[in-house]
Amino acid sequence: MPVSARVALVSLCFASVACGDNTGGTSGTATEVTTVSPTTGTTATTQVPTTSDGSASEGSEAGSDSTPTTSMGTDTGPKLDVGAPDGEGACGCEFNYVWVANSAESTVSKINMETLVEEARYLTRPDGMGNPSRTSVSLKGDVAVANRHGGLVKFHADIADCKDTNGVPGIQTSTGKNDVLPWDMEECRAWYIDFPTSNQRPVAWTQGQIQSGSCNTTGEKVWTVMSEKSGLFPGLGAPGGVIVSLVDGETGNIDKQITIPTFSGDSFGAYGGAVNLHGDLFFTPLGFLTPAKLARVYIDNFAYKIFDVPPEVGPYGITVDHNGRVWVSSNAIGQIGVGRFDPELETWDLVSGFFSGAGLAEGPGDLMWVSSNNGVNSVHIEDLTLGPVFNTQYFIKGVSFDAEGFMWAVNYAETDDADNPIEPELVMKVDVDALSVVGEYDGLNRPYTYSDFTGNALFNVSCNAPR
């Protein structure tokens, strides 16, 4: 799409003050719903944290190689949506990319949604030992990647934003799967922070501000959470609390950093995170290993709250819907597939009828799609009835959506005794109306991404409406 057409579409969306379609959803048969309140097991404690230097924080709590094969569907049209309904939120320019971490080789793949071609692959840590997983996409389209073994990195989506810094004239950057440039040569890496930890998983962009009639955003921040460094194994944290950081999205400088001593950093520590409309961070642990907690950190003053998660929900994936409620997929043994938390009422609603244990994302029609080992189940976000199921033989680790309502599903490939994949390591493009695959890219290396790897979840909460 020409730049002039992009700007025209941006202006039109601002003029209409709308972002996406908020039509009614599809629901199936009724499912059992359990409501858990503070008086029946959910408790909340409020803490006023200290900064990294030990002083009191400002404010107080106010109230998250083999050659790849490619097949394409019929996806055409723009991937740009901007607006600010009801005067709240900010909806930015989302580029046409799926960002999937290749954990085994410490890289992230940039895959074009329309062509299903991998346009670039980047190292996520200088030593190639980062073991990345969670990716988060900003409203502008840039990606931030957290390395499980420590380190946070940002890459530009638009090559026009890349800087000539390596001493060689012109922009040197990856052109595809088999063109991973050495660390010091890659010029589409915006910045990298070498966090001193062996366990760093959650990453989530905040909205920033969008300049009316353009694709420019300012003031974007990135949340990340780490544990103290463990001497046992990379990927595991040490006993004690977790350390929450808010990073300037433009410079890569750490704006604020606090330790939350009441949220365990042991084992896998904080496992996943997501933000709400205001940019507050919610994060959870891997629930079956530690007492399940849900933390909220307020972006305005870094105050925080810790909530108990019902024992039936062993947290794994986490997202926030367009009405500001937190959804947590369950990794516990049992029939609870997902939990919905209302941060204002501080109550949980539990949905039974399927097993999850992986990622989740809100799609069109007020449906929350929750991945599992036999496909992706859906739940209506309001009445909590079960909806359509996308069945597949693959273990879907992560799901996300694009601007046109297609679901992107990342397969976590089974391996043999020699750790060789015995299934395709792919990302699929799914028509959720027809419940069918319309395209796929098979060229990844131990993909494990299940966070907001298209940026659509951030768009939903920012616009107060699903795309």
Side-chain angles (χ1 to χ4, degrees):
M1 178 187 295
V3 172
S4 59
R6 291 184 180 184
V7 174
L9 183 56
V10 172
S11 302
L12 176 63
C13 194
F14 262 106
S16 64
V17 197
C19 287
D21 180 12
N22 196 13
T23 58
T26 302
S27 61
T29 58
T31 183
E32 180 182 353
V33 176
T34 305
T35 300
V36 183
S37 70
T39 58
T40 60
T42 300
T43 61
T45 57
T46 302
Q47 306 285 339
V48 177
T50 57
T51 61
S52 55
D53 63 3
S55 60
S57 66
E58 74 247 38
S60 60
E61 190 240 317
S64 202
D65 286 326
S66 56
T67 302
T69 59
T70 301
S71 61
M72 291 181 288
T74 58
D75 180 18
T76 59
K79 294 290 192 308
L80 184 63
D81 262 307
V82 180
D86 303 323
E88 284 206 83
C91 309
C93 302
E94 184 172 330
F95 284 77
N96 314 7
Y97 299 113
V98 179
W99 296 88
V100 181
N102 300 289
S103 297
E105 63 180 34
S106 193
T107 64
V108 63
S109 292
K110 175 185 176 183
I111 302 164
N112 190 299
M113 291 177 176
E114 294 184 357
T115 65
L116 285 157
V117 170
E118 184 173 354
E119 294 186 2
R121 186 173 292 204
Y122 308 113
L123 284 170
T124 62
R125 206 169 82 159
D127 61 2
M129 300 293 289
N131 194 9
S133 171
R134 286 49 156 181
T135 65
S136 178
V137 180
S138 73
L139 291 179
K140 186 179 179 181
D142 297 329
V143 70
V145 186
N147 289 286
R148 291 185 182 104
H149 296 173
L152 182 70
V153 63
K154 171 188 172 182
F155 295 98
H156 292 297
D158 190 349
I159 294 179
D161 293 330
C162 305
K163 307 298 183 184
D164 189 358
T165 58
N166 64 11
V168 179
I171 298 296
Q172 282 73 52
T173 188
S174 172
T175 58
K177 169 185 169 66
N178 297 314
D179 184 31
V180 180
L181 269 61
W183 184 260
D184 292 335
M185 291 300 294
E186 179 55 63
E187 292 182 314
C188 280
R189 183 180 63 256
W191 46 255
Y192 170 75
I193 308 173
D194 186 17
F195 282 94
T197 182
S198 53
N199 176 42
Q200 186 172 2
R201 284 173 163 81
V203 58
W205 281 95
T206 69
Q207 293 84 353
Q209 298 81 42
I210 184 74
Q211 180 181 331
S212 179
S214 78
C215 290
N216 298 323
T217 55
T218 59
E220 293 175 313
K221 308 291 184 181
V222 186
W223 290 102
T224 189
V225 187
M226 66 178 181
S227 302
E228 293 287 353
K229 192 169 186 177
S230 170
L232 297 176
F233 301 101
L236 297 181
V242 293
I243 303 165
V244 180
S245 301
L246 185 66
V247 176
D248 186 301
E250 180 65 27
T251 66
N253 296 326
I254 299 174
D255 283 352
K256 296 181 181 180
Q257 192 173 63
I258 62 166
T259 297
I260 301 180
T262 52
F263 192 105
S264 176
D266 201 5
S267 187
F268 295 111
Y271 208 67
V275 301
N276 64 4
L277 169 66
H278 195 60
D280 300 336
L281 175 69
F282 293 89
F283 63 92
T284 51
L286 182 60
F288 73 86
L289 291 177
T290 59
K293 303 290 184 180
L294 169 67
R296 177 180 187 174
V297 183
Y298 294 81
I299 193 170
D300 288 337
N301 56 14
F302 254 47
Y304 61 91
K305 279 188 173 183
I306 305 293
F307 305 94
D308 288 332
V309 177
E312 300 92 336
V313 180
Y316 196 94
I318 183 172
T319 192
V320 177
D321 69 24
H322 74 272
N323 287 322
R325 294 163 303 199
V326 183
W327 291 72
V328 179
S329 63
S330 176
N331 198 42
I333 302 301
Q335 288 298 308
I336 299 299
V338 69
R340 184 187 70 183
F341 178 71
D342 187 320
E344 303 307 319
L345 300 176
E346 298 182 0
T347 58
W348 286 90
D349 295 306
L350 309 183
V351 182
S352 63
F354 63 94
F355 173 76
S356 177
L360 71 171
E362 182 182 358
D366 285 346
L367 290 177
M368 183 66 65
W369 292 82
V370 188
S371 52
S372 68
N373 60 356
N374 62 349
V376 189
N377 297 270
S378 67
V379 178
H380 195 279
I381 67 169
E382 298 301 335
D383 62 26
L384 301 182
T385 54
L386 298 183
V389 179
F390 168 63
N391 292 301
T392 176
Q393 70 269 38
Y394 302 130
F395 183 176
I396 302 302
K397 177 57 64 174
V399 291
S400 195
F401 283 82
D402 64 24
E404 295 183 342
F406 289 102
M407 180 171 68
W408 294 82
V410 178
N411 177 42
Y412 177 62
E414 297 285 342
T415 58
D416 60 20
D417 291 340
D419 204 31
N420 298 310
I422 56 178
E423 293 179 357
E425 297 174 298
L426 53 80
V427 58
M428 297 180 288
K429 182 177 183 178
V430 180
D431 182 331
V432 292
D433 291 328
L435 297 175
S436 63
V437 177
V438 295
E440 62 183 37
Y441 173 73
D442 177 10
L444 301 169
N445 187 349
R446 300 302 295 275
Y448 200 85
T449 298
Y450 64 89
S451 45
D452 186 17
F453 55 89
T454 65
N456 196 67
L458 182 61
F459 183 99
N460 286 345
V461 299
S462 303
C463 287
N464 264 341
R467 199 190 295 269

PDB file of all heavy atoms in Angstrom, residues 10-46:
ATOM      1  N   VAL A  10      -5.567   6.114   7.708  1.00  0.00           N
ATOM      2  CA  VAL A  10      -5.417   6.537   9.093  1.00  0.00           C
ATOM      3  C   VAL A  10      -6.365   7.679   9.408  1.00  0.00           C
ATOM      4  O   VAL A  10      -7.088   7.672  10.397  1.00  0.00           O
ATOM      5  CB  VAL A  10      -3.961   6.972   9.367  1.00  0.00           C
ATOM      6  CG1 VAL A  10      -3.852   7.606  10.751  1.00  0.00           C
ATOM      7  CG2 VAL A  10      -3.025   5.791   9.276  1.00  0.00           C
ATOM      8  N   SER A  11      -6.384   8.695   8.537  1.00  0.00           N
ATOM      9  CA  SER A  11      -7.233   9.862   8.758  1.00  0.00           C
ATOM     10  C   SER A  11      -8.699   9.469   8.776  1.00  0.00           C
ATOM     11  O   SER A  11      -9.492   9.968   9.569  1.00  0.00           O
ATOM     12  CB  SER A  11      -6.975  10.908   7.672  1.00  0.00           C
ATOM     13  OG  SER A  11      -5.611  11.293   7.655  1.00  0.00           O
ATOM     14  N   LEU A  12      -9.074   8.553   7.878  1.00  0.00           N
ATOM     15  CA  LEU A  12     -10.463   8.105   7.811  1.00  0.00           C
ATOM     16  C   LEU A  12     -10.871   7.427   9.101  1.00  0.00           C
ATOM     17  O   LEU A  12     -11.954   7.650   9.632  1.00  0.00           O
ATOM     18  CB  LEU A  12     -10.640   7.141   6.631  1.00  0.00           C
ATOM     19  CG  LEU A  12     -12.029   6.516   6.482  1.00  0.00           C
ATOM     20  CD1 LEU A  12     -13.062   7.610   6.211  1.00  0.00           C
ATOM     21  CD2 LEU A  12     -12.022   5.501   5.351  1.00  0.00           C
ATOM     22  N   CYS A  13      -9.981   6.601   9.658  1.00  0.00           N
ATOM     23  CA  CYS A  13     -10.312   5.893  10.901  1.00  0.00           C
ATOM     24  C   CYS A  13     -10.434   6.856  12.065  1.00  0.00           C
ATOM     25  O   CYS A  13     -11.277   6.704  12.924  1.00  0.00           O
ATOM     26  CB  CYS A  13      -9.258   4.830  11.188  1.00  0.00           C
ATOM     27  SG  CYS A  13      -9.743   3.648  12.431  1.00  0.00           S
ATOM     28  N   PHE A  14      -9.577   7.869  12.095  1.00  0.00           N
ATOM     29  CA  PHE A  14      -9.699   8.875  13.133  1.00  0.00           C
ATOM     30  C   PHE A  14     -10.996   9.649  12.991  1.00  0.00           C
ATOM     31  O   PHE A  14     -11.671   9.946  13.958  1.00  0.00           O
ATOM     32  CB  PHE A  14      -8.526   9.855  13.078  1.00  0.00           C
ATOM     33  CG  PHE A  14      -7.455   9.526  14.057  1.00  0.00           C
ATOM     34  CD1 PHE A  14      -6.264   8.966  13.621  1.00  0.00           C
ATOM     35  CD2 PHE A  14      -7.624   9.741  15.405  1.00  0.00           C
ATOM     36  CE1 PHE A  14      -5.269   8.651  14.524  1.00  0.00           C
ATOM     37  CE2 PHE A  14      -6.637   9.426  16.309  1.00  0.00           C
ATOM     38  CZ  PHE A  14      -5.457   8.884  15.864  1.00  0.00           C
ATOM     39  N   ALA A  15     -11.357   9.971  11.739  1.00  0.00           N
ATOM     40  CA  ALA A  15     -12.571  10.744  11.517  1.00  0.00           C
ATOM     41  C   ALA A  15     -13.813   9.973  11.944  1.00  0.00           C
ATOM     42  O   ALA A  15     -14.769  10.526  12.488  1.00  0.00           O
ATOM     43  CB  ALA A  15     -12.683  11.132  10.048  1.00  0.00           C
ATOM     44  N   SER A  16     -13.796   8.657  11.727  1.00  0.00           N
ATOM     45  CA  SER A  16     -14.950   7.838  12.088  1.00  0.00           C
ATOM     46  C   SER A  16     -14.929   7.427  13.547  1.00  0.00           C
ATOM     47  O   SER A  16     -15.900   6.904  14.068  1.00  0.00           O
ATOM     48  CB  SER A  16     -14.996   6.573  11.218  1.00  0.00           C
ATOM     49  OG  SER A  16     -13.864   5.775  11.465  1.00  0.00           O
ATOM     50  N   VAL A  17     -13.813   7.647  14.217  1.00  0.00           N
ATOM     51  CA  VAL A  17     -13.631   7.290  15.627  1.00  0.00           C
ATOM     52  C   VAL A  17     -14.070   5.855  15.853  1.00  0.00           C
ATOM     53  O   VAL A  17     -14.915   5.566  16.677  1.00  0.00           O
ATOM     54  CB  VAL A  17     -14.413   8.249  16.553  1.00  0.00           C
ATOM     55  CG1 VAL A  17     -13.884   8.141  17.971  1.00  0.00           C
ATOM     56  CG2 VAL A  17     -14.315   9.673  16.079  1.00  0.00           C
ATOM     57  N   ALA A  18     -13.483   4.932  15.088  1.00  0.00           N
ATOM     58  CA  ALA A  18     -13.855   3.531  15.216  1.00  0.00           C
ATOM     59  C   ALA A  18     -12.668   2.666  14.901  1.00  0.00           C
ATOM     60  O   ALA A  18     -11.864   3.008  14.060  1.00  0.00           O
ATOM     61  CB  ALA A  18     -15.001   3.191  14.272  1.00  0.00           C
ATOM     62  N   CYS A  19     -12.582   1.539  15.586  1.00  0.00           N
ATOM     63  CA  CYS A  19     -11.516   0.579  15.338  1.00  0.00           C
ATOM     64  C   CYS A  19     -12.096  -0.807  15.373  1.00  0.00           C
ATOM     65  O   CYS A  19     -12.179  -1.427  16.417  1.00  0.00           O
ATOM     66  CB  CYS A  19     -10.421   0.682  16.388  1.00  0.00           C
ATOM     67  SG  CYS A  19      -9.403   2.123  16.240  1.00  0.00           S
ATOM     68  N   GLY A  20     -12.506  -1.324  14.265  1.00  0.00           N
ATOM     69  CA  GLY A  20     -12.920  -2.719  14.226  1.00  0.00           C
ATOM     70  C   GLY A  20     -14.412  -2.885  14.351  1.00  0.00           C
ATOM     71  O   GLY A  20     -15.188  -1.959  14.477  1.00  0.00           O
ATOM     72  N   ASP A  21     -14.808  -4.152  14.326  1.00  0.00           N
ATOM     73  CA  ASP A  21     -16.198  -4.549  14.299  1.00  0.00           C
ATOM     74  C   ASP A  21     -16.585  -5.105  15.652  1.00  0.00           C
ATOM     75  O   ASP A  21     -15.957  -6.008  16.159  1.00  0.00           O
ATOM     76  CB  ASP A  21     -16.367  -5.621  13.199  1.00  0.00           C
ATOM     77  CG  ASP A  21     -17.797  -6.094  13.095  1.00  0.00           C
ATOM     78  OD1 ASP A  21     -18.685  -5.468  13.692  1.00  0.00           O
ATOM     79  OD2 ASP A  21     -18.006  -7.096  12.411  1.00  0.00           O
ATOM     80  N   ASN A  22     -17.621  -4.567  16.256  1.00  0.00           N
ATOM     81  CA  ASN A  22     -18.035  -5.026  17.584  1.00  0.00           C
ATOM     82  C   ASN A  22     -19.384  -5.719  17.503  1.00  0.00           C
ATOM     83  O   ASN A  22     -20.285  -5.468  18.275  1.00  0.00           O
ATOM     84  CB  ASN A  22     -18.109  -3.828  18.534  1.00  0.00           C
ATOM     85  CG  ASN A  22     -18.150  -4.268  19.982  1.00  0.00           C
ATOM     86  OD1 ASN A  22     -17.893  -5.422  20.281  1.00  0.00           O
ATOM     87  ND2 ASN A  22     -18.471  -3.352  20.871  1.00  0.00           N
ATOM     88  N   THR A  23     -19.507  -6.596  16.524  1.00  0.00           N
ATOM     89  CA  THR A  23     -20.744  -7.335  16.365  1.00  0.00           C
ATOM     90  C   THR A  23     -20.830  -8.462  17.363  1.00  0.00           C
ATOM     91  O   THR A  23     -19.860  -8.838  17.998  1.00  0.00           O
ATOM     92  CB  THR A  23     -20.842  -7.910  14.944  1.00  0.00           C
ATOM     93  OG1 THR A  23     -19.694  -8.745  14.727  1.00  0.00           O
ATOM     94  CG2 THR A  23     -20.869  -6.804  13.909  1.00  0.00           C
ATOM     95  N   GLY A  24     -21.997  -9.041  17.487  1.00  0.00           N
ATOM     96  CA  GLY A  24     -22.198 -10.122  18.446  1.00  0.00           C
ATOM     97  C   GLY A  24     -21.440 -11.362  18.073  1.00  0.00           C
ATOM     98  O   GLY A  24     -21.064 -11.566  16.937  1.00  0.00           O
ATOM     99  N   GLY A  25     -21.237 -12.236  19.048  1.00  0.00           N
ATOM    100  CA  GLY A  25     -20.420 -13.412  18.823  1.00  0.00           C
ATOM    101  C   GLY A  25     -21.236 -14.655  18.588  1.00  0.00           C
ATOM    102  O   GLY A  25     -22.457 -14.669  18.654  1.00  0.00           O
ATOM    103  N   THR A  26     -20.506 -15.746  18.324  1.00  0.00           N
ATOM    104  CA  THR A  26     -21.116 -17.045  18.132  1.00  0.00           C
ATOM    105  C   THR A  26     -20.946 -17.850  19.399  1.00  0.00           C
ATOM    106  O   THR A  26     -19.873 -17.903  19.976  1.00  0.00           O
ATOM    107  CB  THR A  26     -20.422 -17.791  16.970  1.00  0.00           C
ATOM    108  OG1 THR A  26     -20.535 -16.978  15.806  1.00  0.00           O
ATOM    109  CG2 THR A  26     -21.069 -19.125  16.730  1.00  0.00           C
ATOM    110  N   SER A  27     -21.973 -18.483  19.847  1.00  0.00           N
ATOM    111  CA  SER A  27     -21.859 -19.303  21.050  1.00  0.00           C
ATOM    112  C   SER A  27     -22.499 -20.651  20.806  1.00  0.00           C
ATOM    113  O   SER A  27     -23.400 -20.799  20.004  1.00  0.00           O
ATOM    114  CB  SER A  27     -22.532 -18.612  22.241  1.00  0.00           C
ATOM    115  OG  SER A  27     -23.904 -18.425  21.992  1.00  0.00           O
ATOM    116  N   GLY A  28     -21.988 -21.625  21.529  1.00  0.00           N
ATOM    117  CA  GLY A  28     -22.513 -22.967  21.371  1.00  0.00           C
ATOM    118  C   GLY A  28     -23.363 -23.355  22.558  1.00  0.00           C
ATOM    119  O   GLY A  28     -24.088 -22.559  23.122  1.00  0.00           O
ATOM    120  N   THR A  29     -23.252 -24.599  22.970  1.00  0.00           N
ATOM    121  CA  THR A  29     -24.050 -25.069  24.086  1.00  0.00           C
ATOM    122  C   THR A  29     -23.540 -24.469  25.384  1.00  0.00           C
ATOM    123  O   THR A  29     -22.398 -24.043  25.489  1.00  0.00           O
ATOM    124  CB  THR A  29     -23.953 -26.603  24.182  1.00  0.00           C
ATOM    125  OG1 THR A  29     -22.569 -26.964  24.326  1.00  0.00           O
ATOM    126  CG2 THR A  29     -24.512 -27.246  22.931  1.00  0.00           C
ATOM    127  N   ALA A  30     -24.428 -24.423  26.379  1.00  0.00           N
ATOM    128  CA  ALA A  30     -24.056 -23.833  27.662  1.00  0.00           C
ATOM    129  C   ALA A  30     -22.974 -24.663  28.329  1.00  0.00           C
ATOM    130  O   ALA A  30     -22.907 -25.877  28.162  1.00  0.00           O
ATOM    131  CB  ALA A  30     -25.279 -23.734  28.562  1.00  0.00           C
ATOM    132  N   THR A  31     -22.116 -23.982  29.065  1.00  0.00           N
ATOM    133  CA  THR A  31     -21.051 -24.671  29.774  1.00  0.00           C
ATOM    134  C   THR A  31     -21.078 -24.258  31.237  1.00  0.00           C
ATOM    135  O   THR A  31     -21.580 -23.192  31.577  1.00  0.00           O
ATOM    136  CB  THR A  31     -19.675 -24.320  29.163  1.00  0.00           C
ATOM    137  OG1 THR A  31     -18.671 -25.064  29.821  1.00  0.00           O
ATOM    138  CG2 THR A  31     -19.389 -22.842  29.290  1.00  0.00           C
ATOM    139  N   GLU A  32     -20.532 -25.076  32.101  1.00  0.00           N
ATOM    140  CA  GLU A  32     -20.523 -24.781  33.522  1.00  0.00           C
ATOM    141  C   GLU A  32     -19.609 -23.595  33.809  1.00  0.00           C
ATOM    142  O   GLU A  32     -18.476 -23.546  33.352  1.00  0.00           O
ATOM    143  CB  GLU A  32     -20.030 -26.002  34.294  1.00  0.00           C
ATOM    144  CG  GLU A  32     -20.001 -25.768  35.795  1.00  0.00           C
ATOM    145  CD  GLU A  32     -19.458 -26.969  36.530  1.00  0.00           C
ATOM    146  OE1 GLU A  32     -19.234 -28.001  35.896  1.00  0.00           O
ATOM    147  OE2 GLU A  32     -19.246 -26.866  37.744  1.00  0.00           O
ATOM    148  N   VAL A  33     -20.102 -22.625  34.556  1.00  0.00           N
ATOM    149  CA  VAL A  33     -19.333 -21.442  34.928  1.00  0.00           C
ATOM    150  C   VAL A  33     -19.325 -21.319  36.441  1.00  0.00           C
ATOM    151  O   VAL A  33     -20.374 -21.366  37.067  1.00  0.00           O
ATOM    152  CB  VAL A  33     -19.942 -20.167  34.304  1.00  0.00           C
ATOM    153  CG1 VAL A  33     -19.180 -18.938  34.778  1.00  0.00           C
ATOM    154  CG2 VAL A  33     -19.945 -20.263  32.796  1.00  0.00           C
ATOM    155  N   THR A  34     -18.149 -21.199  36.999  1.00  0.00           N
ATOM    156  CA  THR A  34     -18.011 -21.043  38.436  1.00  0.00           C
ATOM    157  C   THR A  34     -17.508 -19.652  38.742  1.00  0.00           C
ATOM    158  O   THR A  34     -16.543 -19.204  38.140  1.00  0.00           O
ATOM    159  CB  THR A  34     -17.010 -22.078  39.001  1.00  0.00           C
ATOM    160  OG1 THR A  34     -17.430 -23.379  38.623  1.00  0.00           O
ATOM    161  CG2 THR A  34     -16.921 -21.965  40.519  1.00  0.00           C
ATOM    162  N   THR A  35     -18.151 -18.941  39.665  1.00  0.00           N
ATOM    163  CA  THR A  35     -17.704 -17.616  40.067  1.00  0.00           C
ATOM    164  C   THR A  35     -17.030 -17.704  41.419  1.00  0.00           C
ATOM    165  O   THR A  35     -17.581 -18.276  42.353  1.00  0.00           O
ATOM    166  CB  THR A  35     -18.892 -16.639  40.140  1.00  0.00           C
ATOM    167  OG1 THR A  35     -19.496 -16.562  38.846  1.00  0.00           O
ATOM    168  CG2 THR A  35     -18.421 -15.251  40.557  1.00  0.00           C
ATOM    169  N   VAL A  36     -15.831 -17.144  41.495  1.00  0.00           N
ATOM    170  CA  VAL A  36     -15.061 -17.156  42.740  1.00  0.00           C
ATOM    171  C   VAL A  36     -14.866 -15.720  43.180  1.00  0.00           C
ATOM    172  O   VAL A  36     -14.367 -14.896  42.417  1.00  0.00           O
ATOM    173  CB  VAL A  36     -13.690 -17.829  42.533  1.00  0.00           C
ATOM    174  CG1 VAL A  36     -12.932 -17.891  43.848  1.00  0.00           C
ATOM    175  CG2 VAL A  36     -13.877 -19.220  41.963  1.00  0.00           C
ATOM    176  N   SER A  37     -15.258 -15.386  44.378  1.00  0.00           N
ATOM    177  CA  SER A  37     -15.152 -14.020  44.885  1.00  0.00           C
ATOM    178  C   SER A  37     -14.143 -13.953  46.011  1.00  0.00           C
ATOM    179  O   SER A  37     -13.678 -14.982  46.505  1.00  0.00           O
ATOM    180  CB  SER A  37     -16.514 -13.554  45.395  1.00  0.00           C
ATOM    181  OG  SER A  37     -16.856 -14.248  46.577  1.00  0.00           O
ATOM    182  N   PRO A  38     -13.788 -12.738  46.456  1.00  0.00           N
ATOM    183  CA  PRO A  38     -12.838 -12.622  47.577  1.00  0.00           C
ATOM    184  C   PRO A  38     -13.307 -13.342  48.834  1.00  0.00           C
ATOM    185  O   PRO A  38     -12.492 -13.844  49.608  1.00  0.00           O
ATOM    186  CB  PRO A  38     -12.756 -11.105  47.798  1.00  0.00           C
ATOM    187  CG  PRO A  38     -13.085 -10.518  46.464  1.00  0.00           C
ATOM    188  CD  PRO A  38     -14.118 -11.438  45.868  1.00  0.00           C
ATOM    189  N   THR A  39     -14.594 -13.423  49.031  1.00  0.00           N
ATOM    190  CA  THR A  39     -15.088 -14.068  50.246  1.00  0.00           C
ATOM    191  C   THR A  39     -15.080 -15.583  50.161  1.00  0.00           C
ATOM    192  O   THR A  39     -15.244 -16.274  51.160  1.00  0.00           O
ATOM    193  CB  THR A  39     -16.524 -13.604  50.546  1.00  0.00           C
ATOM    194  OG1 THR A  39     -17.352 -13.911  49.422  1.00  0.00           O
ATOM    195  CG2 THR A  39     -16.549 -12.104  50.807  1.00  0.00           C
ATOM    196  N   THR A  40     -14.860 -16.101  48.940  1.00  0.00           N
ATOM    197  CA  THR A  40     -14.846 -17.561  48.786  1.00  0.00           C
ATOM    198  C   THR A  40     -13.502 -18.074  48.307  1.00  0.00           C
ATOM    199  O   THR A  40     -13.419 -19.137  47.711  1.00  0.00           O
ATOM    200  CB  THR A  40     -15.939 -17.990  47.791  1.00  0.00           C
ATOM    201  OG1 THR A  40     -15.693 -17.367  46.531  1.00  0.00           O
ATOM    202  CG2 THR A  40     -17.320 -17.626  48.286  1.00  0.00           C
ATOM    203  N   GLY A  41     -12.473 -17.286  48.482  1.00  0.00           N
ATOM    204  CA  GLY A  41     -11.158 -17.837  48.165  1.00  0.00           C
ATOM    205  C   GLY A  41     -10.227 -16.910  47.425  1.00  0.00           C
ATOM    206  O   GLY A  41      -9.050 -17.200  47.317  1.00  0.00           O
ATOM    207  N   THR A  42     -10.717 -15.796  46.894  1.00  0.00           N
ATOM    208  CA  THR A  42      -9.832 -14.877  46.203  1.00  0.00           C
ATOM    209  C   THR A  42      -9.518 -13.714  47.132  1.00  0.00           C
ATOM    210  O   THR A  42     -10.416 -13.020  47.589  1.00  0.00           O
ATOM    211  CB  THR A  42     -10.485 -14.343  44.923  1.00  0.00           C
ATOM    212  OG1 THR A  42     -10.785 -15.438  44.071  1.00  0.00           O
ATOM    213  CG2 THR A  42      -9.557 -13.383  44.199  1.00  0.00           C
ATOM    214  N   THR A  43      -8.249 -13.508  47.416  1.00  0.00           N
ATOM    215  CA  THR A  43      -7.861 -12.404  48.278  1.00  0.00           C
ATOM    216  C   THR A  43      -6.927 -11.484  47.528  1.00  0.00           C
ATOM    217  O   THR A  43      -6.291 -11.881  46.555  1.00  0.00           O
ATOM    218  CB  THR A  43      -7.150 -12.908  49.552  1.00  0.00           C
ATOM    219  OG1 THR A  43      -5.965 -13.611  49.157  1.00  0.00           O
ATOM    220  CG2 THR A  43      -8.051 -13.821  50.348  1.00  0.00           C
ATOM    221  N   ALA A  44      -6.847 -10.251  47.948  1.00  0.00           N
ATOM    222  CA  ALA A  44      -5.969  -9.277  47.306  1.00  0.00           C
ATOM    223  C   ALA A  44      -5.203  -8.514  48.363  1.00  0.00           C
ATOM    224  O   ALA A  44      -5.761  -8.141  49.386  1.00  0.00           O
ATOM    225  CB  ALA A  44      -6.788  -8.302  46.456  1.00  0.00           C
ATOM    226  N   THR A  45      -3.907  -8.317  48.120  1.00  0.00           N
ATOM    227  CA  THR A  45      -3.111  -7.505  49.024  1.00  0.00           C
ATOM    228  C   THR A  45      -2.516  -6.356  48.236  1.00  0.00           C
ATOM    229  O   THR A  45      -2.101  -6.521  47.100  1.00  0.00           O
ATOM    230  CB  THR A  45      -1.973  -8.332  49.650  1.00  0.00           C
ATOM    231  OG1 THR A  45      -1.173  -8.877  48.588  1.00  0.00           O
ATOM    232  CG2 THR A  45      -2.502  -9.463  50.491  1.00  0.00           C
ATOM    233  N   THR A  46      -2.483  -5.188  48.833  1.00  0.00           N
ATOM    234  CA  THR A  46      -1.953  -4.001  48.178  1.00  0.00           C
ATOM    235  C   THR A  46      -0.601  -3.671  48.781  1.00  0.00           C
ATOM    236  O   THR A  46      -0.445  -3.653  49.992  1.00  0.00           O
ATOM    237  CB  THR A  46      -2.908  -2.812  48.362  1.00  0.00           C
ATOM    238  OG1 THR A  46      -4.176  -3.170  47.837  1.00  0.00           O
ATOM    239  CG2 THR A  46      -2.388  -1.584  47.639  1.00  0.00           C
TER     240      THR A  46
END
